[in-house]
């Protein structure tokens, strides 16, 4: 799968190249293999836990350098308007062209359920990044949480990523 940037934005909810997949309950893990060599400066691409309160792990390219990032606190209100475009929680520089991104989520009903984000540069050893993301348990977003693969530009269009695989597993 090749995803070209289709939107110049800093808002995950406005990113037009976003593909979603329903989460298998009560717990599941999504892993993607992303090739970032054709990203342009300002591009953001990765794997999100997507709902009215969202977070993501992904790759950012700025000033010709790449870093893996976990971003949290991406929110919208009941009118489907973005109320916060997110806050970077953690980042690490990476040189890998191919990177594995992973989100593990517990979507059992009730408060306090969490998701964990990680990445790998070799597909074997996954490094946790950021903090556990607490899932919103309100139901105004009727579909609940979904895994989402995204790619958007914050500066200019023209970048692209390749997704070699999407794997969904349950414990």
């Amino acid at each position: 799968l090749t995803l070209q940037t289709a939107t110049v934005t800093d808002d995950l909810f406005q990113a037009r190249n976003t593909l979603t997949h329903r989460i298998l309950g009560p717990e599941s893990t999504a892993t993607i293999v992303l090739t970032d060599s054709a990203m342009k400066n300002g591009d953001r691409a990765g794997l999100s836990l997507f709902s009215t309160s969202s977070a993501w792990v992904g790759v950012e390219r700025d000033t010709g350098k790449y870093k893996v990032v976990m971003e949290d606190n991406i929110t919208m209100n009941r009118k489907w308007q973005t109320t916060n475009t997110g806050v970077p929680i953690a980042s690490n520089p990476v040189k890998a062209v191919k990177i594995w991104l992973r989100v593990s989520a517990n979507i059992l009903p009730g408060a306090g359920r969490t998701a964990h984000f990680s990445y790998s540069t070799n597909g074997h050893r996954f490094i946790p990044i950021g903090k556990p993301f607490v899932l919103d348990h309100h139901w105004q977003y009727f579909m609940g949480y979904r895994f989402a693969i995204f790619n958007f530009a914050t500066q200019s269009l023209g970048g692209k990523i390749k997704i070699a695989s999407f794997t969904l597993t349950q414990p």
Side-chain angles (χ1 to χ4, degrees), residues 43-116:
D43 286 2
R44 310 292 186 252
L47 181 63
S48 172
L49 200 54
F50 195 75
S51 185
T52 56
S53 174
S54 299
W56 58 266
V57 62
V59 177
E60 293 184 355
R61 181 175 180 194
D62 290 309
T63 61
K65 296 181 181 176
Y66 295 89
K67 62 183 173 181
V68 64
V69 175
M70 188 267 180
E71 193 156 318
D72 192 350
N73 200 26
I74 305 163
T75 57
M76 71 168 60
N77 62 23
R78 290 179 183 261
K79 295 181 181 181
W80 300 83
Q81 299 165 328
T82 302
T83 53
N84 195 339
T85 58
V87 177
I89 300 299
S91 68
N92 292 321
V94 289
K95 293 183 181 180
V97 170
K98 183 187 285 188
I99 191 162
W100 287 254
L101 302 171
R102 180 172 281 173
V103 179
S104 299
N106 174 341
I107 62 165
L108 284 169
R113 304 300 180 201
T114 59
H116 300 269

Side-chain angles (χ1 to χ4, degrees), residues 2-8 17 35-45 61 66 150-162:
T2 299
L3 282 180
Q4 295 181 341
T5 54
T7 311
V8 177
N17 259 1
T35 301
D36 60 21
S37 60
M39 291 175 73
K40 291 180 64 177
N41 282 326
D43 286 2
R44 310 292 186 252
R61 181 175 180 194
Y66 295 89
F150 65 91
N151 183 24
F152 64 90
T154 64
Q155 295 176 16
S156 64
L157 299 178
K160 62 184 175 181
I161 59 166
K162 291 188 179 181

Side-chain angles (χ1 to χ4, degrees), residues 7 9-10 13 29 34 58 62 76 93 112 114 127-128 130 133 139 141 144 146-147 157 159 171:
T7 311
T9 185
D10 64 350
F13 297 126
T29 298
L34 182 148
D62 290 309
M76 71 168 60
T114 59
I127 302 163
F133 173 68
W139 290 100
Y141 188 65
R146 300 174 74 80
F147 293 118
L157 299 178

